[in-house]
């Protein structure tokens, strides 16, 4: 198969042009005569990056081209953005192929990204326009036969004191959840009868509850459109399989499909830190042995935050939600393409994943605490009222942010460990303060340099 045109064209901040003629793309299968469809990839370009390299397969091996980024990626003064410049690259080919994109230091920006000749979807990897610390969240793509899996994963940590002091407690272990969000797609050219398997799978593990005020945690999947969801299932387990929950389903999972986008909630936290779970037992999925659900010192009663009382080697409450897409063999190609585009975007655009907690106490109404730059859900109507009553000066232009950049929740990479109870997160991770107050411009690797005496053991 001879390819007459292979064009990588960059729009916006990046000028990139390359043309390859009479070269055969490897592993291609879907040439459409006279038809060229662009697929857009939103690159996340590190601060200071001056050049990218694009690799793509040909009959003679992997070919590379480079292009300068002008202007150099930087933070726009006065804007609340993560330290990246968004650059859209249009990759145009009449046949299926894939590309790898690297920055000037060889760090991957996009790996094994499939470019489908007949695709019109736009994938963001990720948008990088809201806030901190989307740069720390891992996105990746894998494949298995006709199936492609798009993932984003991380850990969310919250402090429950908003809208008041961010240092009064400041341990950010009041709710800790790790998560993985996956979009599963099918190559219709290879396995058209398997499209019914396409879905979005969300897995959340409740790692710790270190506060008495949080009642639930939520995830608003703002990038996922409910109109493409044919059905869903929601399962709560101990570990990834055991449905024999201690004390019954006192920790619950719920899905709200009434709006444009699904909202998942993970509740029952009050039960977890009361005396009931102190004697509750379950069967450990790794050892097969019966053990206590919540080892505790009997005073704080909190879950997985007190030294010497971590559920070491134990299972975590796990909420799994699977949203099944429409069978593409039963709908039009245009609707099917739009559905797959929406599924992929909802995973790879991490800024459409709006995590939050719901808290209440004796001094203030029930309130939602979101991460910096994210919006409250429609169910929470008192954001402005609670900001007005805060003891701090809040950033008037950015939700859930103190004027100097301090926050009450953030995302970190999967293996980031939370602080012990009553240990300041600012001391547990000494570089965190500089990172958050610079709005991400400095100390981007703060989570790699903890004071190990102040963070939890592995669970």
């Amino acid at each position: 198969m001879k390819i007459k045109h292979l064009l990588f064209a960059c729009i916006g901040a990046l000028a990139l042009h390359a043309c390859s003629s009479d070269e055969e793309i490897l592993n291609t299968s879907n040439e459409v005569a006279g038809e060229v469809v662009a697929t857009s990839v939103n690159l996340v370009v590190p601060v200071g990056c001056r050049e990218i390299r694009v690799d793509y397969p040909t009959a003679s091996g992997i070919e590379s081209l480079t292009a300068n980024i002008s202007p150099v990626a930087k933070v726009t003064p006065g804007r609340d953005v993560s330290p990246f410049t968004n650059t859209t690259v249009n990759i145009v080919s009449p046949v299926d192929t894939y590309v790898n994109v690297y920055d000037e230091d060889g760090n991957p920006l996009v790996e094994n990204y499939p470019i489908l000749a007949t695709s019109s979807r736009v994938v963001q990897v990720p948008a990088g326009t809201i806030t901190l610390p989307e740069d720390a969240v891992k996105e990746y793509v894998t494949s298995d036969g006709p199936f492609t899996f798009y993932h984003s994963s991380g850990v969310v940590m919250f402090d429950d004191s908003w809208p008041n002091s961010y240092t009064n407690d400041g341990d950010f272990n009041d709710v800790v959840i790790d998560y993985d969000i996956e979009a599963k797609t099918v190559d219709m050219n290879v396995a058209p009868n398997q499209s019914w398997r396409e879905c979005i799978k969300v897995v959340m593990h409740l790692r710790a509850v270190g506060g008495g005020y949080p009642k639930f945690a939520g995830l608003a999947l703002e990038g996922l459109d409910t109109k493409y969801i044919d059905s869903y299932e929601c399962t709560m387990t101990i570990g990834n399989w055991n449905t024999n929950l201690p004390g019954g389903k006192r920790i619950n999972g719920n899905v709200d499909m009434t709006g444009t986008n699904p909202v998942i909630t993970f509740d029952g936290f009050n039960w977890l830190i009361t005396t009931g779970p102190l004697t509750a037992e379950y069967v450990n999925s790794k050892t097969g042995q019966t053990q206590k659900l919540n080892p505790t010192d009997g005073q704080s009663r909190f879950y997985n935050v007190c030294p010497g009382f971590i559920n070491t080697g134990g299972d975590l409450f796990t909420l799994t939600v699977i949203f099944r897409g429409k069978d593409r063999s039963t709908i039009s190609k245009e609707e099917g393409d739009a559905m797959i585009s929406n599924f992929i975007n909802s995973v790879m655009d991490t800024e459409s994943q709006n995590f939050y907690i719901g808290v209440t106490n004796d001094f203030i109404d029930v309130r939602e605490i979101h991460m910096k730059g994210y919006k409250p859900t429609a169910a929470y109507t008192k954001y402005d009222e609670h900001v007005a009553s805060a003891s701090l000066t809040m950033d008037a232009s950015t939700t859930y942010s103190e004027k100097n950049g301090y926050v009450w929740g953030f995302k970190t990479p999967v293996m980031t460990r939370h602080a012990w109870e009553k240990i300041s997160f600012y001391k547990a991770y000494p570089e965190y303060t500089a990172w958050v107050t610079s709005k991400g411009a400095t100390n981007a690797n703060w989570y790699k340099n903890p004071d190990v005496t102040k963070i939890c053991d592995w669970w």
Side-chain angles (χ1 to χ4, degrees), residues 228-266:
Y228 297 121
I229 298 172
D230 184 64
S231 63
Y232 73 90
E233 57 190 76
C234 177
T235 307
M236 180 66 69
T237 57
I238 293 288
N240 291 327
W241 63 274
N242 187 351
T243 58
N244 185 22
L245 301 177
K249 287 194 174 183
R250 305 300 295 273
I251 301 294
N252 303 301
N254 304 282
V255 179
D256 183 354
M257 295 284 287
T258 59
T260 303
N261 313 110
V263 178
I264 301 170
T265 52
F266 201 156

Side-chain angles (χ1 to χ4, degrees), residues 112-354:
N112 297 319
Y113 182 74
I115 304 300
L116 305 184
T118 58
S119 171
S120 60
R121 67 175 180 261
V122 176
V123 175
Q124 299 176 333
V125 193
T129 57
I130 290 184
T131 184
L132 317 165
E134 302 297 335
D135 52 304
V137 178
K138 178 69 173 176
E139 310 92 25
Y140 58 97
V141 181
T142 61
S143 62
D144 181 11
F147 304 108
T148 300
F149 304 89
Y150 300 82
H151 288 264
S152 60
S153 56
V155 177
V156 294
M157 300 186 188
F158 286 96
D159 190 273
D160 63 10
S161 60
W162 183 87
N164 298 306
S165 174
Y166 46 84
T167 57
N168 184 43
D169 185 19
D171 50 25
F172 285 96
N173 67 17
D174 294 329
V175 176
V176 182
I177 292 175
D178 64 46
Y179 67 92
D180 182 81
I181 305 173
E182 173 193 278
K184 181 180 182 180
T185 66
V186 176
D187 185 344
M188 292 288 283
N189 296 312
V190 176
N193 63 339
Q194 295 294 306
S195 67
W196 61 274
R197 296 181 181 273
E198 293 176 321
C199 63
I200 297 288
K201 182 178 181 181
V202 181
V203 179
M204 297 194 292
H205 299 101
L206 182 59
R207 184 185 293 181
V209 177
Y213 297 153
K215 308 305 179 188
F216 65 89
L219 167 59
L221 289 169
E222 296 172 344
L224 180 60
D225 198 320
T226 53
K227 70 182 180 182
Y228 297 121
I229 298 172
D230 184 64
S231 63
Y232 73 90
E233 57 190 76
C234 177
T235 307
M236 180 66 69
T237 57
I238 293 288
N240 291 327
W241 63 274
N242 187 351
T243 58
N244 185 22
L245 301 177
K249 287 194 174 183
R250 305 300 295 273
I251 301 294
N252 303 301
N254 304 282
V255 179
D256 183 354
M257 295 284 287
T258 59
T260 303
N261 313 110
V263 178
I264 301 170
T265 52
F266 201 156
D267 63 25
F269 295 173
N270 286 87
W271 173 81
L272 186 61
I273 62 173
T274 58
T275 56
L278 303 185
T279 57
E281 296 180 333
Y282 75 102
V283 177
N284 187 306
S285 66
K286 306 176 189 69
T287 66
Q289 301 298 310
T290 299
Q291 68 178 66
K292 291 282 193 302
L293 168 67
N294 186 13
T296 179
D297 58 8
Q299 297 176 356
S300 72
R301 304 193 310 278
F302 295 143
Y303 179 62
N304 276 353
V305 296
C306 299
F309 298 92
I310 297 294
N311 189 14
T312 305
D315 296 312
L316 301 175
F317 280 98
T318 302
L319 177 59
T320 303
V321 181
I322 299 176
F323 299 101
R324 300 197 180 280
K326 296 180 179 180
D327 185 343
R328 280 198 283 163
S329 66
T330 66
I331 58 179
S332 69
K333 181 181 182 304
E334 290 74 20
E335 186 179 5
D337 287 348
M339 180 185 77
I340 294 304
S341 175
N342 181 255
F343 278 19
I344 296 173
N345 284 342
S346 70
V347 174
M348 303 304 276
D349 178 6
T350 65
E351 292 175 357
S352 69
Q353 299 157 10
N354 185 354

